[in-house]
Amino acid sequence: MNYWLMKSEPDVFSYDDLVEKGKAEWDGVRNHAAKLHMMAMKKGDLAFFYHSNIGVEAVGVMEIVEEAAPDSTDETGKWVAVHVAPKEKLAKPVTLKAMKADSALSDMVMLRQSRLSVSPLSKAEFQHILAMSKA
């Protein structure tokens, strides 16, 4: 199993929106590195749903339920999307500030490439952020 962090602006699409829909296409990604990450995703992988710009925090866990396929919002045909479903809302959101302050997360890709909307996490990083949400 692989682990990911996926960003969305909550005023565009929030974790609560995902819960309401039950399943959604994670579309609109227009970055080549993020595209490669999405192409590497497998059904059953887990990802943090991260609210960017507003809140700036991990707020929930979602599961990849359909692997990469053409993005329905892309007329060029060169971008991909995955489908995700909510797993659990975090008991307490984990802020970017808290992640940056935690030495256990110092190698996290998202902290080194902050503009990347989809990034991988190690199993240890995923479990650590999950533990931070329960502390």
Side-chain angles (χ1 to χ4, degrees):
M1 176 181 297
N2 293 305
Y3 302 91
W4 309 93
L5 186 141
M6 300 170 73
K7 297 179 182 180
S8 178
E9 296 174 10
D11 57 338
V12 175
F13 188 73
S14 69
Y15 187 77
D16 290 339
D17 294 332
L18 176 60
V19 169
E20 187 176 310
K21 287 185 94 168
K23 173 183 160 182
E25 179 182 37
W26 197 272
D27 58 25
V29 174
R30 301 295 186 263
N31 173 284
H32 291 286
K35 173 187 173 180
L36 292 174
H37 293 315
M38 291 174 70
M39 290 175 68
M41 291 178 177
K42 300 294 179 205
K43 189 175 179 179
D45 284 358
L46 297 177
F48 283 114
F49 193 119
Y50 181 92
H51 283 170
S52 61
N53 293 344
I54 302 168
V56 195
E57 58 196 3
V59 296
V61 176
M62 55 190 178
E63 180 179 353
I64 308 306
V65 294
E66 290 181 33
E67 296 177 11
D71 182 331
S72 69
T73 67
D74 172 35
E75 294 179 10
T76 70
K78 70 178 189 177
W79 301 104
V80 300
V82 297
H83 282 78
V84 297
K87 288 283 285 177
E88 68 177 292
K89 190 167 190 167
L90 297 182
K92 179 180 79 175
V94 180
T95 66
L96 175 61
K97 184 177 180 179
M99 290 181 211
K100 284 182 173 182
D102 196 313
S103 62
L105 301 175
S106 62
D107 290 331
M108 204 166 98
V109 172
M110 195 262 300
L111 298 181
R112 291 182 285 125
Q113 297 175 331
S114 61
R115 297 191 46 83
L116 199 55
S117 63
V118 177
S119 59
L121 293 170
S122 69
K123 183 177 183 179
E125 291 166 342
F126 184 87
Q127 291 175 335
H128 191 78
I129 293 169
L130 205 51
M132 290 171 74
S133 77
K134 296 175 181 176

